[in-house]
């Protein structure tokens, strides 16, 4: 039986799953707390074996009709889905600020418009994939992008709406039926997505939301052999587990994982500009996979750079993310706070120097001061492992070769930032071993461009054609250019 909606800051939101076009409740529930003040937001339906089974069956049943539509016929559904997100824009903003602690300003001006674009862009892009021809003297090839089937989408708590729609857009536009497993620490905007999909008239079973813990609900979904694709964004340990489960069934999975990205400041950099961007790495309290967290600064400019960045950090407004003026909000969970502080304490015990921050912030129990540590060595835990909090490190280098050695000296390879004279910075950036890197900038994202990591930061690329290559079965229909007659001497 469906439960009464929760009221989160005056916004009604269902705590239930959304399966086969309707809300489905659960006897088992888990408590959801607000990271800003630890208040109880409500009890959320926990996915059982039966919920997972019903969702897979519903998605399977919806697949023949949904996949039979052309991309042009599916496009209006996705456009309406985007419109329905727009109609609920403020509700999405308030909910994600309350459960994930994401800045309200960022939700309003960045995330919600981007979530809408994630659906409409991929609906449009799917039109370009229909039967791409390749003509040779031998044959006419019709290269088809066929939908793969039922796909499972699993997203983390630091950007649930953005990342869920980033995967749902291409998956649905390609003709797949989806089961979304939202993050258990921040599931509310994924629940509201179901309302938007329902209002947009998506046929029952095409889009389903099954909530619950990763180790139970998530694990059941990714272990099921009926699943055609698994698209996952999250941490490295979970990805290893999922890859093994997927491997047992030979199910392709896309893995977007953590980072330990370098922020390189070359000797010829615009120091003030680089420092202003540097302070941006504390956005979302540092809980951003693509943030540059390892500052590598040329030794001749280290002092003025540190002073300039400190100036920007001192001015950061730390507080309630529901206040438009706030620039740094809370950490998602007490467990994560302890983890972040633990990293700092161990680094200091190992000889690191605190340039600023390093303690819990008085605004609330789940707040940590923007922190910068210097005097760290390349093989230190704090340099090698993702903290996923407002904690950065600073190392200096003497020349480009040393900068690159440090930049490339971790097992991660997600992103990077490189400040310097443009041609110089571009040349250095091209030698940094990551999936992407920003030159004299940060955070410019284009949906047509590839996004993803190398090494421990992931497998696969999302964006543009790359998303469709993952979510589709690519098939070559070969029609001979000349009449074909079988012969054993044929090459
Ligand atoms: P996490 O791996 O703990 O959880 C991510 C999701 O996986 C959650 O929905 C969780 O319930 C689910 N999950 C956990 N165990 C599972 C299992 N056994 N089977 C199936 N699903 C399971 O990650 P997190 O702590 O929520 O997120 C933070 C991590 O995400 C960081 O490492 C961060 O860098 C990464 N991240 C990467 C990107 C990217 O695009 N590369 C973007 C955002 C976050």
């Amino acid at each position: 039986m469906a439960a009464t909606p929760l009221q989160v800051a005056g916004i009604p939101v269902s705590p239930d799953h959304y399966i086969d076009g309707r809300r489905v409740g659960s006897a088992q529930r888990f408590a959801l707390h607000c990271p800003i003040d630890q208040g109880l937001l409500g009890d959320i339906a926990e996915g059982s074996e039966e919920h997972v089974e019903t969702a897979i069956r519903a998605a399977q049943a919806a697949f023949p009709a949904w996949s039979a539509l052309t991309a042009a016929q599916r496009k209006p559904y996705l456009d309406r889905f985007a419109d329905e997100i727009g109609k609920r824009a403020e509700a999405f903003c308030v909910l994600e600020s309350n459960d994930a602690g994401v800045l309200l300003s960022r939700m309003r001006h960045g995330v919600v418009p981007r979530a809408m674009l994630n659906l409409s862009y991929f609906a449009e892009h799917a039109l370009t994939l229909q039967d791409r021809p390749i003509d040779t003297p031998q044959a006419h090839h019709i290269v088809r992008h066929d939908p793969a089937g039922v796909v499972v989408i699993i997203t983390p708590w630091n950007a649930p709406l953005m990342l869920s729609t980033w995967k749902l857009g291409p998956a649905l536009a390609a003709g797949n039926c989806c089961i979304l497993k939202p993050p258990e620490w921040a599931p509310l905007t994924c629940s509201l997505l179901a309302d938007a999909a329902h209002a947009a008239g998506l046929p029952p079973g095409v889009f389903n939301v099954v909530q619950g813990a990763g180790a139970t609900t998530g694990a059941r979904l990714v272990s099921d052999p009926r699943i055609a694709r698994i698209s996952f964004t999250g941490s490295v340990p979970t990805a290893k587990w999922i890859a093994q489960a997927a491997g047992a069934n030979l199910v392709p999975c896309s893995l977007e994982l953590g980072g330990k990205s370098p922020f390189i400041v070359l000797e010829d950099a615009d120091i003030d500009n680089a420092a202003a961007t540097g302070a941006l790495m504390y956005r979302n309290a540092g809980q951003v996979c693509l943030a540059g967290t390892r500052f590598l600064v040329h030794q001749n400019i280290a002092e003025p750079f540190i002073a300039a960045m400190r100036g920007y950090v001192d001015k950061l407004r730390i507080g309630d993310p529901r206040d438009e003026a706030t620039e740094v909000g809370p950490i998602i969970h007490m467990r994560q706070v302890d983890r972040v502080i633990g990293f700092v304490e161990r680094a200091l015990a190992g000889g690191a120097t605190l340039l600023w921050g390093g303690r819990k912030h008085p605004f609330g129990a789940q707040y940590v001061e923007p922190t910068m540590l210097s005097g760290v060595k390349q093989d230190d835990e704090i340099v090698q492992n993702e903290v996923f909090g407002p904690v950065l490190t600073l190392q200096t280098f003497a020349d480009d070769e040393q900068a690159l050695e440090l930049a490339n000296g971790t097992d991660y390879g997600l992103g990077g930032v490189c400040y310097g004279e443009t041609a110089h910075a571009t040349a250095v950036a091209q030698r940094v071993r990551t999936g992407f890197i920003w030159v004299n900038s940060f955070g410019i994202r284009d949906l047509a461009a590839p996004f993803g990591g190398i090494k421990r930061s992931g497998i696969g690329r999302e964006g543009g054609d790359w998303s469709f290559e993952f979510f589709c079965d690519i098939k070559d229909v070969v029609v001979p250019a000349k009449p074909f007659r079988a012969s054993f001497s044929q090459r």
Side-chain angles (χ1 to χ4, degrees):
M1 210 178 64
T4 21
L6 309 177
Q7 291 291 330
V8 174
I11 306 289
V13 58
S14 172
D16 291 335
H17 311 299
Y18 178 74
I19 301 173
D20 205 13
R22 62 194 181 88
R23 289 289 176 181
V24 177
S26 175
Q28 279 209 325
R29 296 181 168 267
F30 62 93
L32 178 69
H33 290 94
C34 174
I36 307 159
D37 55 13
Q38 294 77 56
L40 179 69
L41 296 173
D43 290 329
I44 307 293
E46 168 84 44
S48 65
E49 212 169 328
E50 191 191 329
H51 295 130
V52 168
E53 181 61 29
T54 322
I56 294 174
R57 284 181 190 234
Q60 281 187 310
F63 182 69
W66 183 247
S67 61
L69 298 179
T70 63
Q73 288 168 325
R74 280 190 292 266
K75 186 175 179 306
Y77 287 94
L78 275 98
D79 288 341
R80 283 201 302 273
F81 193 175
D83 289 346
E84 292 295 334
I85 293 176
K87 287 183 197 165
R88 294 164 178 76
E90 194 55 16
F92 277 106
C93 297
V94 171
L95 291 179
E96 202 153 296
S97 263
N98 274 278
D99 73 351
V102 176
L103 299 179
L104 194 62
S105 57
R106 175 120 188 90
M107 289 302 297
R108 283 185 180 147
H109 308 298
V111 175
V112 170
R114 171 63 193 276
M116 295 169 67
L117 191 62
N118 281 341
L119 300 178
S120 55
Y121 168 82
F122 285 109
E124 180 78 27
H125 195 85
L127 301 176
T128 69
L129 297 171
Q130 294 300 293
D131 303 347
R132 284 185 178 177
I134 298 176
D135 283 307
T136 71
Q138 285 210 101
H140 171 61
H141 298 256
I142 304 165
V143 180
R144 294 180 53 84
H145 285 69
D146 291 333
V150 176
V151 310
V152 165
I153 292 172
I154 300 193
T155 47
W157 45 262
N158 67 321
L161 176 62
M162 175 4 232
L163 291 170
S164 299
T165 49
W166 166 240
K167 295 169 185 300
L168 280 170
L172 291 171
N176 300 291
C177 292
C178 302
I179 304 173
L180 171 64
K181 209 297 283 169
E184 57 271 46
W185 284 349
L188 296 181
T189 45
C190 291
S191 178
L192 196 61
L193 263 184
D195 286 356
H198 194 83
L202 256 74
V206 167
F207 170 54
N208 307 275
V209 180
V210 182
Q211 303 171 127
T216 50
T217 312
R220 278 191 194 109
L221 282 166
V222 299
S223 306
D224 196 288
R226 292 166 291 180
I227 301 305
R229 295 286 188 278
I230 299 164
S231 181
F232 171 77
T233 298
S235 66
V236 172
T238 306
K240 286 183 178 171
W241 197 94
I242 290 178
Q244 283 193 1
N249 298 318
L250 284 183
V251 174
C253 46
S254 153
L255 306 171
E256 294 284 4
L257 313 178
K260 197 73 199 173
S261 303
F263 190 119
I264 304 170
V265 189
L266 300 169
E267 191 175 10
D268 49 16
D270 175 335
I271 292 178
D272 186 63
N273 229 337
T277 305
L280 212 56
M281 301 305 113
Y282 293 117
R283 194 164 71 186
N284 219 26
Q287 302 164 118
V288 178
C289 62
L290 45 74
T293 51
R294 290 185 297 128
F295 280 69
L296 308 176
V297 183
H298 193 281
Q299 60 190 20
N300 294 349
I301 57 159
E303 228 173 276
F305 175 79
I306 290 168
M309 185 161 159
R310 183 168 195 143
Y312 285 104
V313 173
D314 283 347
K315 286 195 216 97
L316 287 174
R317 283 177 296 232
I318 299 168
D320 190 326
R322 298 167 296 197
D323 176 348
E324 268 258 14
T326 296
E327 291 170 315
V328 179
I331 304 254
I332 185 76
H333 199 277
M334 266 324 281
R335 274 218 307 266
Q336 197 69 9
V337 174
D338 293 341
R339 188 172 170 274
V340 170
I341 292 291
F343 266 106
V344 176
E345 284 173 354
R346 289 190 297 278
L348 292 175
T353 308
L354 203 53
L355 290 179
W356 54 79
R359 293 168 306 176
K360 290 192 184 177
H361 189 276
F363 187 84
Q366 289 182 214
Y367 283 72
V368 174
E369 292 175 339
T371 297
M372 178 69 95
L373 296 158
S374 67
V376 293
K377 296 178 292 303
Q378 187 67 11
D379 57 359
D380 284 354
E381 175 200 47
I382 193 108
V383 174
Q384 291 295 329
N385 292 328
E386 185 185 46
V387 177
F388 221 54
V391 177
L392 311 172
T393 58
L394 190 141
Q395 296 164 277
T396 57
F397 61 84
D399 56 26
D400 290 357
E401 293 312 310
Q402 197 188 3
L404 284 161
E405 197 182 317
L406 296 172
N408 293 332
T410 76
D411 289 339
Y412 287 99
L414 188 57
V417 178
C418 189
Y419 268 82
E421 181 278 318
T422 304
H424 181 197
T426 306
V428 171
Q430 297 197 53
R431 295 175 61 202
V432 175
R433 294 205 57 227
T434 54
F436 55 90
I437 183 160
W438 287 289
V439 174
N440 291 333
S441 57
F442 175 74
I444 299 170
R445 294 282 303 275
D446 190 320
L447 278 71
F451 179 84
I454 64 168
K455 300 196 275 183
R456 256 207 275 161
S457 291
I459 298 177
R461 290 292 176 275
E462 296 182 273
D465 279 0
W466 291 273
S467 290
F468 288 100
E469 276 172 22
F470 176 70
F471 283 120
C472 294
D473 287 330
I474 293 172
K475 175 167 155 195
D476 184 16
V477 179
V478 187
V479 184
K482 293 183 279 236
F484 178 87
R485 175 86 192 158
S487 151
F488 278 102
S489 64
Q490 184 197 355
R491 287 169 169 238

